Amino acid sequence: MTDSTTAAPAPRTDPVAADGSGAAGSGRDSLTVTDNRTGQTYELEITDGTIRAADLKQISVGGQGLATYDPGFVNTASTRSAVTYIDGDAGILEYRGYPIEQLAEHSTFLEVAYLLLNGELPTQPELDAFTHDVTIHTFLHENVRQLMQGFRYDAHPMGMLMSSVSALSTFYPDANQISDPENRKRQITRLIAKMPTLGAWAFRHNQGKPYVYPDNRLSYVENFLAMLFKMSEPTYEADPRLVKALDVLLILHADHEQNCSTNAVRSVGSSQVDPYSAIAAGIGALYGPLHGGANESVLKMLRRIGTVDNIPGFIEGVKAGKEKLMGFGHRVYKNFDPRATIIKKACDDVFEVTGVNPLLEIAQQLEKIALEDEYFVKRKLYPNVDFYSGLIYEALQFPPEMFTVLFAIGRTPGWLAQWSELVQDKEQKIARPKQIYTGYRTRDFVPMTER
Ligand code: CMC
């Protein structure tokens, strides 16, 4: 794993000079701010298109330094990162500089995982070694099996995944040695290797079927499919077109810079806890319907709409604010989601094998109508990665509850690359946002009889 860390530029916050240097048009990379409460002027350094929030503290009245208020971090950078680049307006997504379209076409999930974690594409011997390491770590301790068997028959697989990943920290207590690069590498390999086993066992648990042990003769995706669907046949043989489609889906989900779940991983990881606990936090964040849980919600929504005739009524409800069109909209992409474009193509490949999903017609009509409707156009709402992925997952015989598990397996290398970067970033501190307190100030306790 790379150990490179970007050196932090020294903050500089000189008050503006009396001669006016630093004023408009001086060409300096700085921002001049006048506090109208005091008439005092400050000059704040601009680096990489940002000012440092801590530099605002010096702007103070009565000892109360200025801060920013940014619920949902809509305009706040929390880190410097070299993992993933997104240009939301241009629909660009790159892992370590490689366009997602090229990776989806030419690479494999494990190669992309190596790239995210190490910063460079592997040579053949490097990829072989990485693949071997991942393959020999796919088995779980037998007690994990018992742990999973303790869940109710209808437990949501994301809940099972989150709990079992968290439990892994108790099986590998040395994982808290996070400043040891070799130790980090070992835990990273384990997590990437064991996620499909945990995901598949959660699925089998819901189905009341025996858990299937990994078959290390198979590739990463083939092995996952075997653990999901194998019954009495000696070897499970998956259609190579479906294996390729699932591999592409995992690549498309592998990282997405500072999204909700990655932020959760980084935030929890900033306390210097072990990676299993940090990744469990990411799985929890991903579970929500506004994030990775959206693909499950899309399928449920399409089923509820039922027929093309019901689409206009449904769209009117969305425009009236009764509900959201799930699978549409994105905090970053305001033009198109490049992952959605690739998934649409993968849909065709999968449906060639499985037959067309009857919900596809509803999805296509919904997209057509939404893309022409003023409400969606004005708000720049386009299909995101989750709009079509659910249709593929369903064609591959996954129930909707499993969709987000697939997302989590794909996102694991990204979470770990970001966690690794965090751990090595000397500028990072424990995450601890400020608040604007809106409650009561000091008041005397009221005895029960007087309330
Ligand atoms: N359907 C209807 N209206 C929407 C939708 C939608 N899917 N998404 C946003 N809007 C409206 C929203 O009501 C608001 O309208 P107004 O300006 O009148 O108040 C406007 O568009 C801006 O939306 P926002 O909620 O301020 O945007 P955001 O950046 O905070 O939220 C989002 C982004 C993805 C959470 C949101 O678009 C959404 O809830 N989409 C549906 C859930 C979904 O598909 N999530 C998967 C995201 S992609 C996978 C991932 O990376 O997690």
Side-chain angles (χ1 to χ4, degrees), residues 290-291 294 324-325 327-331 375 379 381 384 386:
L290 295 190
H291 192 10
K324 279 189 169 171
L325 172 49
F328 259 64
H330 201 276
R331 172 65 61 77
Y375 175 95
R379 290 171 178 76
L381 300 172
N384 59 46
D386 290 322

Side-chain angles (χ1 to χ4, degrees), residues 114-376:
Y114 183 100
L115 169 70
L116 287 167
L117 290 161
N118 297 281
E120 296 296 338
L121 286 168
T123 60
Q124 191 64 53
E126 285 168 341
L127 181 60
D128 291 346
F130 180 65
T131 305
H132 174 261
D133 285 350
V134 168
T135 306
I136 60 166
H137 281 98
T138 49
F139 275 74
L140 292 163
H141 192 289
E142 272 300 287
N143 290 4
V144 177
R145 179 191 174 89
Q146 286 163 24
L147 176 101
M148 294 199 82
Q149 279 169 335
F151 283 104
R152 266 175 59 134
Y153 72 98
D154 58 353
H156 196 290
M158 278 298 275
M160 287 194 260
L161 187 68
M162 180 167 38
S163 314
S164 50
V165 167
S166 162
L168 288 183
S169 71
T170 68
F171 290 87
Y172 308 109
D174 66 321
N176 61 8
Q177 308 296 312
I178 60 165
S179 43
D180 171 3
E182 273 311 306
N183 191 305
R184 283 203 301 272
K185 188 175 169 189
R186 204 157 52 243
Q187 314 311 332
I188 286 172
T189 307
R190 281 185 176 135
L191 264 160
I192 293 174
K194 293 180 198 308
M195 285 291 281
T197 316
L198 291 170
W201 284 10
F203 172 78
R204 302 285 289 204
H205 185 82
N206 285 156
Q207 306 238 321
K209 289 181 182 158
Y211 300 177
V212 176
Y213 286 95
D215 181 343
N216 288 346
R217 291 166 301 178
L218 302 175
S219 73
Y220 190 83
V221 170
E222 285 171 318
N223 182 36
F224 180 44
L225 288 169
M227 289 188 288
L228 288 159
F229 300 120
K230 184 171 178 298
M231 291 307 291
S232 57
E233 64 274 42
T235 310
Y236 179 82
E237 278 178 28
D239 187 302
R241 289 168 296 181
L242 300 185
V243 173
K244 173 69 187 158
L246 191 49
D247 198 66
V248 167
L249 281 161
L250 294 179
I251 292 173
L252 296 184
H253 287 92
D255 197 45
H256 215 232
E257 51 121 300
Q258 306 313 313
N259 54 85
C260 177
S261 56
T262 300
N263 184 57
V265 170
R266 279 182 173 265
S267 188
V268 171
S270 76
S271 74
Q272 301 194 346
V273 74
D274 67 89
Y276 301 99
S277 303
I279 298 301
I283 296 172
L286 190 72
Y287 192 179
L290 295 190
H291 192 10
N295 51 19
E296 179 179 344
S297 307
V298 170
L299 242 278
K300 289 182 174 161
M301 174 189 78
L302 293 177
R303 283 229 180 82
R304 198 158 37 85
I305 295 173
T307 68
V308 172
D309 297 343
N310 294 333
I311 292 177
F314 171 79
I315 292 276
E316 283 316 307
V318 170
K319 285 160 64 177
K322 289 188 189 145
E323 61 181 305
K324 279 189 169 171
L325 172 49
M326 299 310 284
F328 259 64
H330 201 276
R331 172 65 61 77
V332 182
Y333 296 120
K334 299 297 176 196
N335 190 344
F336 68 96
D337 180 339
R339 301 168 301 172
T341 314
I342 299 169
I343 286 190
K344 252 176 118 169
K345 153 115 198 13
C347 265
D348 298 338
D349 300 343
V350 169
F351 294 158
E352 208 181 282
V353 183
T354 63
V356 174
N357 187 327
L359 296 175
L360 178 67
E361 194 193 352
I362 301 175
Q364 285 172 332
Q365 270 302 317
L366 203 53
E367 178 184 353
K368 188 166 174 292
I369 292 170
L371 290 182
E372 287 164 359
D373 191 295
E374 156 84 7
Y375 175 95
F376 298 92

